[in-house]
Amino acid sequence: MKKRLTQQEEFDIMKLVLDKFLWLGFGVMVYGLWIMATGVEHAFARGLSFIVGGALVLIVFMMIIVREYEVIK
């Protein structure tokens, strides 16, 4: 028999999962910035690609939140 979750419990679980996407996106962006700061060969293009990748992870995070939970007016 499956246990039904309340909306609040479901939202709390969703926050825990999506928080990991937030940390992942932030970590990828920081790594890209670190690559740019070290200044090795082709560092700017490589670092920028990591920053853009991290931004895409954060955009996906935002889209999931907007799609799953509508804002009640």
Side-chain angles (χ1 to χ4, degrees):
M1 178 186 288
K2 287 187 177 181
K3 180 183 175 187
R4 301 288 298 173
L5 297 175
T6 65
Q7 262 191 334
Q8 184 61 37
E9 290 171 335
E10 185 178 336
F11 182 71
D12 289 339
I13 291 171
M14 188 70 153
K15 282 193 309 187
L16 290 171
V17 171
L18 293 179
D19 183 52
K20 304 310 181 251
F21 279 109
L22 177 65
W23 280 109
L24 180 67
F26 179 71
V28 169
M29 291 176 81
V30 168
Y31 180 66
L33 187 62
W34 180 76
I35 288 174
M36 291 172 79
T38 57
V40 295
E41 186 178 340
H42 304 292
F44 183 76
R46 187 167 179 232
L48 189 62
S49 67
F50 274 99
I51 290 173
V52 169
L56 288 176
V57 169
L58 293 177
I59 289 171
V60 168
F61 168 75
M62 180 191 65
M63 289 172 45
I64 290 172
I65 289 176
V66 169
R67 188 185 61 178
E68 288 293 322
Y69 296 99
E70 297 176 14
V71 178
I72 299 174
K73 294 180 182 178

